[in-house]
């Protein structure tokens, strides 16, 4: 009786272990170019929202807006250049 109990527990444990190892294959990872393109789209979207916020700010003067846009454009160009170099 004791041997039967031990063997059933052992059999159950092994079958659970085997079934736990079955899982669907992992989805394919995006290539480096795809990652760079995704980052570029995110960067462009972020740039456009920040630009809209700067230009529609009610209290900023034209000079302040011009300075902020200049800094934003400069930052955007450097980040875009770095992404292009990553390809």
């Amino acid at each position: 009786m004791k041997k039967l109990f031990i063997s059933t527990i052992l059999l159950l444990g092994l079958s659970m272990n085997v079934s736990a190892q079955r899982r669907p294959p992992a989805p394919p990872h995006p290539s480096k170019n795809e990652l760079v393109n995704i980052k570029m789209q995110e960067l462009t979207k972020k740039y456009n929202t920040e630009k809209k916020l700067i230009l529609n700010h009610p209290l900023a003067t034209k000079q302040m807006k011009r300075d902020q846009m200049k800094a934003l454009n400069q930052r955007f160009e450097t980040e875009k250049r770095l992404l292009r170099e990553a390809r």
Side-chain angles (χ1 to χ4, degrees), residues 8-43:
T8 50
I9 295 292
L10 188 62
L11 187 63
L12 249 171
L14 288 175
S15 64
M16 288 176 72
N17 191 18
V18 168
S19 66
Q21 288 178 357
R22 288 190 206 135
R23 55 188 131 142
H29 294 291
S31 68
K32 190 172 183 180
N33 270 344
E34 289 172 339
L35 284 175
V36 168
N37 289 338
I38 291 169
K39 288 288 184 186
M40 190 70 81
Q41 288 172 352
E42 290 174 1
L43 183 65

